[in-house]
Amino acid sequence: MNKILKVGIVGTGIQGISNALFLLKKGFEVTIFDRNEPGSPTASYGNAGHFSPYASVPLNRPDVIADVPAMLLSSSGPLALKWNYVHKMIPWFIKFINNSTKKKMMHTAKNMHQILDLALPAYDELFQEIELQGLVENKGILYIWNEKDLKSRELEINIRKELGVKQQLVNSKEIHDLEPKIKPFYHGGVYYPYAKHARNPKKILLKLFDLFLKKGGKFIKINIENIKFNGDKPILKTETQNYFFDKVVIACGAFSKRLTDNLNENIPLETERGYHVHFKDCDDLLNRPVIFSNRGFGISPMEQGLRVVGTVEFGGLNNPISKGRIKNLINNAKYMLGDLPEHADEWLGFRPTLPDFLPVIGPSKNHKNVFYCFGHHHLGWTLGAISGKIISGMIANENTNLNLDPYSSKRFS
Ligand SMILES: Cc1cc2nc3c(=O)[nH]c(=O)nc-3n(C[C@H](O)[C@H](O)[C@H](O)COP(=O)(O)OP(=O)(O)OC[C@H]3O[C@@H](n4cnc5c(N)ncnc54)[C@H](O)[C@@H]3O)c2cc1C
């Protein structure tokens, strides 16, 4: 009989847990490490809960670059900078600009579409083993806009059309029929009836984690400091201990760079900081998540109330929460829905983002037994299950029809 291979995973976000469950299915012995308890307030806890398989149009695109100065100057806009971090961001910004040509944008869109298209079926494989009890809603996701920046909306619609993404354009009346409580500031929108949303991402994550434990997976709450090697076999090192494995997966979201730097791979991972607040007991104001495209924020009805989510703030992992960004979300929510009660739960989370807006999914450039699964930016919740399925197939040496080269870390060498 073949020896059962031991796999260590760093990170219990949606990426780490999805990797772990698919690896268990394939018969590996799996241990996950995290310095926090599963379900702690990292990105996989506080996101907008969208399962959005249609969202292949990336942010690295010519129209976004042209709009950046205006967005930075607008207090109602989606973009912000922590000025003390700008100098650290410059190399990333240069790479981002270089990746924003029409050709590179289409490369990203096509390769995001490849995995997004498989995202929901991959979740079905995990969700059939847990009781979701109303935690995932099938009411679609709605985007609305006013008459500003119509060229950007047109670009998005055309790219999705080219890729074969199903989309339903809606007029003001149809938007009102879908969401009668939104103030009528909008002129048009797009509706994705097949998209789903989580009413409580944390609860779903914990249910998947419990399934992992029930199936024999092990969890160790500890910070991984470094990765060393015994021959070509990886060792996860903590302050006091060494853990030996046949393979390891780094799934630390925006915090992955410290470990990949230690492996001598200079992967340009940065964070797009994002925020949420809740308006408790208001979730009956919306039937489904609604995103106001011009202002780059969204509101999702959740168990905690209405979760208002948004902002792309460049400021690294250590800067404190920006009160201005919280205010921006509150004002935007009131613009959309009118009077709302006092908000609760000011949360800051870290989207892990590469300058070409493709994730890193695959083996390390320098170490064949180390795998990477991070950098899923705005779509890491949607892409959890499919990314875990892909990595588990790689570790099991299975053949695939997918072209996985675009997600390799080698693209940065
Ligand atoms: C405001 C906001 C809204 C979003 N909305 C959506 C959405 O609607 N739909 C969507 O698809 N995506 C959304 N996203 C993106 C999505 O949430 C993230 O891409 C995804 O959660 C990243 O998951 P992850 O598992 O890679 O990382 P994380 O969830 O950040 O988990 C990483 C884990 O690694 C652990 N860790 C890090 N370093 C170490 C170490 N050295 N040792 C031990 N443990 C370590 C951390 O403690 C953490 O638990 C949103 C993100 C934000 C911020």
Side-chain angles (χ1 to χ4, degrees), residues 359-380:
V360 177
I361 305 173
S364 148
K365 177 176 67 119
N366 300 327
H367 302 281
K368 64 175 186 183
N369 292 321
V370 176
F371 290 78
Y372 298 151
C373 191
F374 57 78
H376 299 77
H377 54 88
H378 298 242
L379 291 164

Side-chain angles (χ1 to χ4, degrees), residues 53-106:
Y54 52 80
S56 33
V57 185
L59 280 184
N60 58 311
R61 39 194 253 206
D63 59 321
V64 169
I65 292 288
D67 285 347
V68 164
M71 283 196 255
L72 277 174
L73 290 173
S74 160
S75 62
S76 60
L79 199 59
L81 280 173
K82 286 279 195 189
W83 291 102
N84 65 356
Y85 197 76
V86 172
H87 64 289
K88 293 203 183 130
M89 284 293 306
I90 287 172
W92 190 94
F93 279 136
I94 292 170
K95 289 191 178 70
F96 171 66
I97 292 166
N98 289 338
N99 275 292
S100 297
T101 60
K102 187 154 184 254
K103 190 168 165 210
K104 297 230 166 117
M105 166 188 77
M106 284 311 296

Side-chain angles (χ1 to χ4, degrees), residues 15 34-36 43-44 47-48 50 224 377-382:
Q15 296 301 329
D34 200 303
R35 57 188 174 213
N36 296 308
S44 301
N47 56 66
H50 305 171
I224 298 300
H377 54 88
H378 298 242
L379 291 164
W381 180 251
T382 306

Side-chain angles (χ1 to χ4, degrees), residues 71-327:
M71 283 196 255
L72 277 174
L73 290 173
S74 160
S75 62
S76 60
L79 199 59
L81 280 173
K82 286 279 195 189
W83 291 102
N84 65 356
Y85 197 76
V86 172
H87 64 289
K88 293 203 183 130
M89 284 293 306
I90 287 172
W92 190 94
F93 279 136
I94 292 170
K95 289 191 178 70
F96 171 66
I97 292 166
N98 289 338
N99 275 292
S100 297
T101 60
K102 187 154 184 254
K103 190 168 165 210
K104 297 230 166 117
M105 166 188 77
M106 284 311 296
H107 170 82
T108 298
K110 197 171 130 232
N111 290 299
M112 285 306 285
H113 179 64
Q114 176 178 231
I115 46 179
L116 282 166
D117 214 26
L118 303 170
L120 295 185
Y123 265 118
D124 288 344
E125 290 182 46
L126 298 184
F127 285 168
Q128 71 193 10
E129 297 194 64
I130 56 175
E131 181 49 70
L132 283 166
Q133 289 158 336
L135 285 173
V136 176
E137 292 269 35
N138 297 301
K139 294 181 179 166
I141 297 184
L142 175 66
Y143 288 65
I144 56 177
W145 53 73
N146 59 28
E147 273 166 349
K148 261 187 81 198
D149 308 324
L150 284 178
K151 278 220 162 343
S152 284
R153 307 290 84 81
E154 213 174 279
L155 176 83
E156 292 158 3
I157 292 163
N158 288 340
I159 295 175
R160 284 191 294 262
K161 209 177 195 180
E162 206 176 307
L163 294 170
V165 174
K166 276 190 255 153
Q167 52 189 339
Q168 191 176 317
L169 294 181
V170 280
N171 61 28
S172 305
K173 183 186 172 307
E174 289 162 326
I175 293 171
H176 177 77
D177 290 346
L178 285 165
E179 294 297 342
K181 305 246 168 71
I182 299 179
K183 287 191 183 175
F185 58 82
Y186 45 77
H187 295 104
V190 58
Y191 178 46
Y192 303 97
Y194 54 87
K196 304 182 183 203
H197 91 273
R199 278 188 59 84
N200 189 333
K202 173 179 173 170
K203 269 197 191 165
I204 294 174
L205 199 72
L206 289 180
K207 279 181 183 268
L208 292 172
F209 179 70
D210 285 347
L211 177 68
F212 165 73
L213 294 181
K214 236 183 257 155
K215 291 187 153 200
K218 282 186 232 144
F219 170 63
I220 301 176
K221 181 172 176 273
I222 201 153
N223 186 55
I224 298 300
E225 299 279 337
N226 207 345
I227 301 176
K228 292 286 176 193
F229 294 87
N230 175 19
D232 61 6
K233 294 292 169 69
I235 308 166
L236 293 180
K237 289 184 82 74
T238 71
E239 223 170 45
T240 54
Q241 302 225 40
N242 291 331
Y243 295 92
F244 294 78
F245 290 100
D246 296 296
K247 315 269 178 188
V248 301
V249 181
I250 299 181
C252 299
F255 305 91
S256 302
K257 188 167 167 57
R258 203 168 52 81
L259 292 176
T260 57
D261 281 357
N262 289 346
L263 295 172
N264 292 324
E265 256 196 275
N266 189 14
I267 299 175
L269 180 68
E270 258 301 340
T271 182
E272 293 176 88
R273 296 151 59 99
Y275 289 81
H276 84 218
V277 296
H278 291 134
F279 290 97
K280 290 195 170 153
D281 303 322
C282 296
D283 50 311
D284 56 348
L285 291 179
L286 293 180
N287 297 312
R288 56 184 61 72
V290 179
I291 296 92
F292 181 16
S293 301
N294 306 83
R295 294 197 180 182
F297 82 100
I299 308 187
S300 301
M302 290 202 176
E303 285 191 342
Q304 294 89 338
L306 279 184
R307 178 175 286 186
V308 186
V309 189
T311 281
V312 168
E313 184 183 56
F314 294 107
L317 297 166
N318 299 319
N319 264 310
I321 200 162
S322 302
K323 284 290 179 187
R325 288 287 96 197
I326 296 289
K327 213 166 138 199

